[in-house]
PDB file of all heavy atoms in Angstrom:
ATOM      1  N   ASP A  37     105.439  59.994  91.964  1.00  0.00           N
ATOM      2  CA  ASP A  37     105.490  60.322  93.401  1.00  0.00           C
ATOM      3  C   ASP A  37     105.003  61.697  93.638  1.00  0.00           C
ATOM      4  O   ASP A  37     104.358  62.152  94.578  1.00  0.00           O
ATOM      5  CB  ASP A  37     106.933  60.285  93.822  1.00  0.00           C
ATOM      6  CG  ASP A  37     107.367  58.734  93.883  1.00  0.00           C
ATOM      7  OD1 ASP A  37     106.460  57.884  93.899  1.00  0.00           O
ATOM      8  OD2 ASP A  37     108.595  58.455  93.831  1.00  0.00           O
ATOM      9  N   LEU A  38     105.323  62.652  92.676  1.00  0.00           N
ATOM     10  CA  LEU A  38     105.005  64.082  92.836  1.00  0.00           C
ATOM     11  C   LEU A  38     103.435  64.170  92.665  1.00  0.00           C
ATOM     12  O   LEU A  38     102.824  64.959  93.408  1.00  0.00           O
ATOM     13  CB  LEU A  38     105.577  64.917  91.670  1.00  0.00           C
ATOM     14  CG  LEU A  38     105.300  66.621  91.719  1.00  0.00           C
ATOM     15  CD1 LEU A  38     105.706  67.065  93.068  1.00  0.00           C
ATOM     16  CD2 LEU A  38     105.968  67.158  90.554  1.00  0.00           C
ATOM     17  N   ARG A  39     102.872  63.496  91.761  1.00  0.00           N
ATOM     18  CA  ARG A  39     101.364  63.507  91.687  1.00  0.00           C
ATOM     19  C   ARG A  39     100.764  62.930  92.953  1.00  0.00           C
ATOM     20  O   ARG A  39      99.697  63.567  93.381  1.00  0.00           O
ATOM     21  CB  ARG A  39     100.948  62.658  90.462  1.00  0.00           C
ATOM     22  CG  ARG A  39      99.436  62.634  90.220  1.00  0.00           C
ATOM     23  CD  ARG A  39      99.061  61.665  89.093  1.00  0.00           C
ATOM     24  NE  ARG A  39      99.584  62.173  87.808  1.00  0.00           N
ATOM     25  CZ  ARG A  39      98.930  62.977  87.110  1.00  0.00           C
ATOM     26  NH1 ARG A  39      97.763  63.491  87.362  1.00  0.00           N
ATOM     27  NH2 ARG A  39      99.427  63.338  85.882  1.00  0.00           N
ATOM     28  N   ASN A  40     101.194  61.827  93.368  1.00  0.00           N
ATOM     29  CA  ASN A  40     100.615  61.230  94.720  1.00  0.00           C
ATOM     30  C   ASN A  40     100.818  62.281  95.851  1.00  0.00           C
ATOM     31  O   ASN A  40      99.787  62.502  96.654  1.00  0.00           O
ATOM     32  CB  ASN A  40     101.312  60.015  94.980  1.00  0.00           C
ATOM     33  CG  ASN A  40     100.950  58.884  94.142  1.00  0.00           C
ATOM     34  OD1 ASN A  40      99.873  58.958  93.402  1.00  0.00           O
ATOM     35  ND2 ASN A  40     101.650  57.741  94.146  1.00  0.00           N
ATOM     36  N   LEU A  41     101.937  62.966  95.892  1.00  0.00           N
ATOM     37  CA  LEU A  41     102.076  63.969  96.961  1.00  0.00           C
ATOM     38  C   LEU A  41     101.206  65.097  96.692  1.00  0.00           C
ATOM     39  O   LEU A  41     100.636  65.680  97.792  1.00  0.00           O
ATOM     40  CB  LEU A  41     103.565  64.492  96.776  1.00  0.00           C
ATOM     41  CG  LEU A  41     104.035  65.549  97.821  1.00  0.00           C
ATOM     42  CD1 LEU A  41     103.891  64.973  99.317  1.00  0.00           C
ATOM     43  CD2 LEU A  41     105.535  66.032  97.687  1.00  0.00           C
ATOM     44  N   SER A  42     100.895  65.518  95.472  1.00  0.00           N
ATOM     45  CA  SER A  42     100.017  66.604  95.257  1.00  0.00           C
ATOM     46  C   SER A  42      98.631  66.218  95.709  1.00  0.00           C
ATOM     47  O   SER A  42      97.822  67.123  96.284  1.00  0.00           O
ATOM     48  CB  SER A  42      99.953  67.032  93.798  1.00  0.00           C
ATOM     49  OG  SER A  42      99.516  65.966  92.997  1.00  0.00           O
ATOM     50  N   LEU A  43      98.130  64.997  95.544  1.00  0.00           N
ATOM     51  CA  LEU A  43      96.970  64.458  96.016  1.00  0.00           C
ATOM     52  C   LEU A  43      96.736  64.552  97.482  1.00  0.00           C
ATOM     53  O   LEU A  43      95.737  64.804  98.071  1.00  0.00           O
ATOM     54  CB  LEU A  43      96.522  63.067  95.462  1.00  0.00           C
ATOM     55  CG  LEU A  43      96.286  62.969  93.980  1.00  0.00           C
ATOM     56  CD1 LEU A  43      96.184  61.473  93.575  1.00  0.00           C
ATOM     57  CD2 LEU A  43      95.022  63.720  93.647  1.00  0.00           C
ATOM     58  N   VAL A  44      97.937  64.125  98.237  1.00  0.00           N
ATOM     59  CA  VAL A  44      97.975  64.112  99.661  1.00  0.00           C
ATOM     60  C   VAL A  44      97.772  65.615 100.128  1.00  0.00           C
ATOM     61  O   VAL A  44      96.959  65.957 101.164  1.00  0.00           O
ATOM     62  CB  VAL A  44      99.239  63.612 100.213  1.00  0.00           C
ATOM     63  CG1 VAL A  44      99.369  63.807 101.632  1.00  0.00           C
ATOM     64  CG2 VAL A  44      99.421  62.187  99.824  1.00  0.00           C
ATOM     65  N   VAL A  45      98.414  66.588  99.446  1.00  0.00           N
ATOM     66  CA  VAL A  45      98.304  67.987  99.767  1.00  0.00           C
ATOM     67  C   VAL A  45      96.807  68.486  99.548  1.00  0.00           C
ATOM     68  O   VAL A  45      96.159  69.187 100.415  1.00  0.00           O
ATOM     69  CB  VAL A  45      99.255  68.862  98.870  1.00  0.00           C
ATOM     70  CG1 VAL A  45      98.994  70.331  99.081  1.00  0.00           C
ATOM     71  CG2 VAL A  45     100.615  68.601  99.268  1.00  0.00           C
ATOM     72  N   VAL A  46      96.154  68.067  98.477  1.00  0.00           N
ATOM     73  CA  VAL A  46      94.785  68.454  98.199  1.00  0.00           C
ATOM     74  C   VAL A  46      93.862  67.816  99.208  1.00  0.00           C
ATOM     75  O   VAL A  46      92.959  68.549  99.687  1.00  0.00           O
ATOM     76  CB  VAL A  46      94.366  67.869  96.858  1.00  0.00           C
ATOM     77  CG1 VAL A  46      92.814  68.002  96.581  1.00  0.00           C
ATOM     78  CG2 VAL A  46      95.048  68.653  95.729  1.00  0.00           C
ATOM     79  N   LEU A  47      94.195  66.666  99.639  1.00  0.00           N
ATOM     80  CA  LEU A  47      93.413  66.008 100.773  1.00  0.00           C
ATOM     81  C   LEU A  47      93.508  66.664 102.082  1.00  0.00           C
ATOM     82  O   LEU A  47      92.531  66.980 102.761  1.00  0.00           O
ATOM     83  CB  LEU A  47      93.788  64.451 100.813  1.00  0.00           C
ATOM     84  CG  LEU A  47      92.863  63.514 101.765  1.00  0.00           C
ATOM     85  CD1 LEU A  47      91.379  63.570 101.391  1.00  0.00           C
ATOM     86  CD2 LEU A  47      93.395  62.145 101.866  1.00  0.00           C
ATOM     87  N   ALA A  48      94.787  67.088 102.348  1.00  0.00           N
ATOM     88  CA  ALA A  48      94.970  67.848 103.616  1.00  0.00           C
ATOM     89  C   ALA A  48      94.262  69.208 103.584  1.00  0.00           C
ATOM     90  O   ALA A  48      93.733  69.619 104.563  1.00  0.00           O
ATOM     91  CB  ALA A  48      96.611  67.986 103.679  1.00  0.00           C
ATOM     92  N   ALA A  49      94.279  69.826 102.352  1.00  0.00           N
ATOM     93  CA  ALA A  49      93.602  71.095 102.205  1.00  0.00           C
ATOM     94  C   ALA A  49      92.124  70.982 102.457  1.00  0.00           C
ATOM     95  O   ALA A  49      91.457  71.797 103.067  1.00  0.00           O
ATOM     96  CB  ALA A  49      93.854  71.740 100.837  1.00  0.00           C
ATOM     97  N   LEU A  50      91.462  69.760 101.960  1.00  0.00           N
ATOM     98  CA  LEU A  50      90.018  69.556 102.099  1.00  0.00           C
ATOM     99  C   LEU A  50      89.757  69.417 103.550  1.00  0.00           C
ATOM    100  O   LEU A  50      88.728  69.794 104.159  1.00  0.00           O
ATOM    101  CB  LEU A  50      89.636  68.395 101.351  1.00  0.00           C
ATOM    102  CG  LEU A  50      89.702  68.601  99.813  1.00  0.00           C
ATOM    103  CD1 LEU A  50      89.377  67.274  99.125  1.00  0.00           C
ATOM    104  CD2 LEU A  50      88.645  69.668  99.405  1.00  0.00           C
ATOM    105  N   ILE A  51      90.691  68.717 104.294  1.00  0.00           N
ATOM    106  CA  ILE A  51      90.527  68.413 105.747  1.00  0.00           C
ATOM    107  C   ILE A  51      90.564  69.744 106.428  1.00  0.00           C
ATOM    108  O   ILE A  51      89.775  70.036 107.431  1.00  0.00           O
ATOM    109  CB  ILE A  51      91.584  67.494 106.302  1.00  0.00           C
ATOM    110  CG1 ILE A  51      91.334  66.058 105.622  1.00  0.00           C
ATOM    111  CG2 ILE A  51      91.561  67.446 107.751  1.00  0.00           C
ATOM    112  CD1 ILE A  51      92.362  64.987 105.964  1.00  0.00           C
ATOM    113  N   VAL A  52      91.451  70.650 106.035  1.00  0.00           N
ATOM    114  CA  VAL A  52      91.490  71.947 106.792  1.00  0.00           C
ATOM    115  C   VAL A  52      90.227  72.688 106.521  1.00  0.00           C
ATOM    116  O   VAL A  52      89.692  73.387 107.437  1.00  0.00           O
ATOM    117  CB  VAL A  52      92.771  72.690 106.171  1.00  0.00           C
ATOM    118  CG1 VAL A  52      92.612  74.184 106.651  1.00  0.00           C
ATOM    119  CG2 VAL A  52      94.055  72.124 106.622  1.00  0.00           C
ATOM    120  N   VAL A  53      89.716  72.676 105.178  1.00  0.00           N
ATOM    121  CA  VAL A  53      88.511  73.315 105.019  1.00  0.00           C
ATOM    122  C   VAL A  53      87.356  72.860 105.879  1.00  0.00           C
ATOM    123  O   VAL A  53      86.535  73.656 106.387  1.00  0.00           O
ATOM    124  CB  VAL A  53      88.170  73.210 103.419  1.00  0.00           C
ATOM    125  CG1 VAL A  53      86.660  73.751 103.179  1.00  0.00           C
ATOM    126  CG2 VAL A  53      89.042  74.014 102.639  1.00  0.00           C
ATOM    127  N   GLY A  54      87.244  71.493 106.013  1.00  0.00           N
ATOM    128  CA  GLY A  54      86.173  70.964 106.837  1.00  0.00           C
ATOM    129  C   GLY A  54      86.453  71.276 108.295  1.00  0.00           C
ATOM    130  O   GLY A  54      85.427  71.576 108.913  1.00  0.00           O
ATOM    131  N   ALA A  55      87.619  71.437 108.770  1.00  0.00           N
ATOM    132  CA  ALA A  55      87.974  71.751 110.123  1.00  0.00           C
ATOM    133  C   ALA A  55      87.527  73.145 110.505  1.00  0.00           C
ATOM    134  O   ALA A  55      87.106  73.470 111.567  1.00  0.00           O
ATOM    135  CB  ALA A  55      89.452  71.496 110.461  1.00  0.00           C
ATOM    136  N   VAL A  56      87.654  74.078 109.356  1.00  0.00           N
ATOM    137  CA  VAL A  56      87.348  75.444 109.495  1.00  0.00           C
ATOM    138  C   VAL A  56      85.858  75.777 109.463  1.00  0.00           C
ATOM    139  O   VAL A  56      85.328  76.534 110.289  1.00  0.00           O
ATOM    140  CB  VAL A  56      88.176  76.350 108.428  1.00  0.00           C
ATOM    141  CG1 VAL A  56      87.626  77.831 108.525  1.00  0.00           C
ATOM    142  CG2 VAL A  56      89.678  76.258 108.779  1.00  0.00           C
ATOM    143  N   THR A  57      85.126  75.117 108.467  1.00  0.00           N
ATOM    144  CA  THR A  57      83.760  75.359 108.167  1.00  0.00           C
ATOM    145  C   THR A  57      82.809  74.613 109.125  1.00  0.00           C
ATOM    146  O   THR A  57      81.805  75.179 109.623  1.00  0.00           O
ATOM    147  CB  THR A  57      83.480  75.091 106.741  1.00  0.00           C
ATOM    148  OG1 THR A  57      83.758  73.602 106.516  1.00  0.00           O
ATOM    149  CG2 THR A  57      84.235  75.863 105.722  1.00  0.00           C
ATOM    150  N   LYS A  58      83.082  73.412 109.390  1.00  0.00           N
ATOM    151  CA  LYS A  58      82.234  72.661 110.304  1.00  0.00           C
ATOM    152  C   LYS A  58      83.145  71.755 111.228  1.00  0.00           C
ATOM    153  O   LYS A  58      83.239  70.563 111.121  1.00  0.00           O
ATOM    154  CB  LYS A  58      81.390  71.643 109.465  1.00  0.00           C
ATOM    155  CG  LYS A  58      80.378  72.401 108.525  1.00  0.00           C
ATOM    156  CD  LYS A  58      79.310  72.871 109.404  1.00  0.00           C
ATOM    157  CE  LYS A  58      78.227  73.623 108.465  1.00  0.00           C
ATOM    158  NZ  LYS A  58      77.141  74.118 109.302  1.00  0.00           N
ATOM    159  N   PRO A  59      83.872  72.398 112.149  1.00  0.00           N
ATOM    160  CA  PRO A  59      84.899  71.687 112.961  1.00  0.00           C
ATOM    161  C   PRO A  59      84.292  70.590 113.746  1.00  0.00           C
ATOM    162  O   PRO A  59      84.835  69.449 113.843  1.00  0.00           O
ATOM    163  CB  PRO A  59      85.399  72.787 113.822  1.00  0.00           C
ATOM    164  CG  PRO A  59      84.377  73.911 113.864  1.00  0.00           C
ATOM    165  CD  PRO A  59      83.724  73.887 112.551  1.00  0.00           C
ATOM    166  N   GLU A  60      83.235  70.810 114.506  1.00  0.00           N
ATOM    167  CA  GLU A  60      82.581  69.671 115.410  1.00  0.00           C
ATOM    168  C   GLU A  60      82.081  68.572 114.650  1.00  0.00           C
ATOM    169  O   GLU A  60      82.212  67.391 115.033  1.00  0.00           O
ATOM    170  CB  GLU A  60      81.585  70.423 116.319  1.00  0.00           C
ATOM    171  CG  GLU A  60      81.993  71.504 117.227  1.00  0.00           C
ATOM    172  CD  GLU A  60      80.857  71.956 118.159  1.00  0.00           C
ATOM    173  OE1 GLU A  60      79.797  71.557 117.892  1.00  0.00           O
ATOM    174  OE2 GLU A  60      81.288  72.920 118.920  1.00  0.00           O
ATOM    175  N   GLN A  61      81.391  68.875 113.485  1.00  0.00           N
ATOM    176  CA  GLN A  61      80.846  67.686 112.745  1.00  0.00           C
ATOM    177  C   GLN A  61      81.847  67.065 111.849  1.00  0.00           C
ATOM    178  O   GLN A  61      81.997  65.781 111.915  1.00  0.00           O
ATOM    179  CB  GLN A  61      79.674  68.333 111.875  1.00  0.00           C
ATOM    180  CG  GLN A  61      78.573  68.935 112.624  1.00  0.00           C
ATOM    181  CD  GLN A  61      77.619  69.661 111.574  1.00  0.00           C
ATOM    182  OE1 GLN A  61      77.925  70.755 111.165  1.00  0.00           O
ATOM    183  NE2 GLN A  61      76.466  69.122 111.395  1.00  0.00           N
ATOM    184  N   PHE A  62      82.668  67.783 111.156  1.00  0.00           N
ATOM    185  CA  PHE A  62      83.651  67.184 110.200  1.00  0.00           C
ATOM    186  C   PHE A  62      84.697  66.321 110.969  1.00  0.00           C
ATOM    187  O   PHE A  62      85.072  65.132 110.423  1.00  0.00           O
ATOM    188  CB  PHE A  62      84.426  68.191 109.344  1.00  0.00           C
ATOM    189  CG  PHE A  62      85.291  67.654 108.282  1.00  0.00           C
ATOM    190  CD1 PHE A  62      84.908  67.096 107.219  1.00  0.00           C
ATOM    191  CD2 PHE A  62      86.633  67.681 108.561  1.00  0.00           C
ATOM    192  CE1 PHE A  62      85.626  66.614 106.183  1.00  0.00           C
ATOM    193  CE2 PHE A  62      87.566  67.147 107.598  1.00  0.00           C
ATOM    194  CZ  PHE A  62      86.980  66.615 106.525  1.00  0.00           C
ATOM    195  N   LEU A  63      85.227  66.883 112.083  1.00  0.00           N
ATOM    196  CA  LEU A  63      86.272  66.103 112.725  1.00  0.00           C
ATOM    197  C   LEU A  63      85.870  65.124 113.740  1.00  0.00           C
ATOM    198  O   LEU A  63      86.645  64.540 114.435  1.00  0.00           O
ATOM    199  CB  LEU A  63      87.236  67.213 113.395  1.00  0.00           C
ATOM    200  CG  LEU A  63      87.989  68.141 112.558  1.00  0.00           C
ATOM    201  CD1 LEU A  63      88.806  69.184 113.296  1.00  0.00           C
ATOM    202  CD2 LEU A  63      88.872  67.362 111.538  1.00  0.00           C
ATOM    203  N   SER A  64      84.523  64.917 113.868  1.00  0.00           N
ATOM    204  CA  SER A  64      84.057  63.920 114.797  1.00  0.00           C
ATOM    205  C   SER A  64      84.441  62.501 114.341  1.00  0.00           C
ATOM    206  O   SER A  64      84.563  62.166 113.076  1.00  0.00           O
ATOM    207  CB  SER A  64      82.564  64.057 114.884  1.00  0.00           C
ATOM    208  OG  SER A  64      81.881  63.653 113.631  1.00  0.00           O
ATOM    209  N   VAL A  65      84.570  61.579 115.198  1.00  0.00           N
ATOM    210  CA  VAL A  65      84.941  60.212 114.894  1.00  0.00           C
ATOM    211  C   VAL A  65      83.922  59.590 114.058  1.00  0.00           C
ATOM    212  O   VAL A  65      84.256  58.898 113.087  1.00  0.00           O
ATOM    213  CB  VAL A  65      85.153  59.326 116.183  1.00  0.00           C
ATOM    214  CG1 VAL A  65      85.335  57.961 115.816  1.00  0.00           C
ATOM    215  CG2 VAL A  65      86.247  59.920 117.055  1.00  0.00           C
ATOM    216  N   GLN A  66      82.594  59.830 114.264  1.00  0.00           N
ATOM    217  CA  GLN A  66      81.607  59.284 113.444  1.00  0.00           C
ATOM    218  C   GLN A  66      81.575  59.695 112.051  1.00  0.00           C
ATOM    219  O   GLN A  66      81.455  58.920 111.068  1.00  0.00           O
ATOM    220  CB  GLN A  66      80.185  59.579 114.188  1.00  0.00           C
ATOM    221  CG  GLN A  66      79.820  59.107 115.427  1.00  0.00           C
ATOM    222  CD  GLN A  66      80.488  59.762 116.500  1.00  0.00           C
ATOM    223  OE1 GLN A  66      81.212  60.826 116.417  1.00  0.00           O
ATOM    224  NE2 GLN A  66      80.405  59.170 117.754  1.00  0.00           N
ATOM    225  N   ASN A  67      81.896  61.091 111.822  1.00  0.00           N
ATOM    226  CA  ASN A  67      81.997  61.520 110.476  1.00  0.00           C
ATOM    227  C   ASN A  67      83.235  60.928 109.733  1.00  0.00           C
ATOM    228  O   ASN A  67      83.062  60.564 108.477  1.00  0.00           O
ATOM    229  CB  ASN A  67      82.051  62.947 110.437  1.00  0.00           C
ATOM    230  CG  ASN A  67      82.024  63.554 108.969  1.00  0.00           C
ATOM    231  OD1 ASN A  67      81.017  63.475 108.421  1.00  0.00           O
ATOM    232  ND2 ASN A  67      82.981  64.239 108.657  1.00  0.00           N
TER     233      ASN A  67
END
Side-chain angles (χ1 to χ4, degrees):
D37 291 341
L38 182 61
R39 181 184 293 272
N40 290 343
L41 180 60
S42 65
L43 286 174
V44 172
V45 172
V46 170
L47 188 59
L50 291 173
I51 293 174
V52 170
V53 171
V56 171
T57 57
K58 295 287 183 179
E60 295 182 0
Q61 295 170 288
F62 182 79
L63 296 178
S64 67
V65 175
Q66 292 79 6
N67 187 63

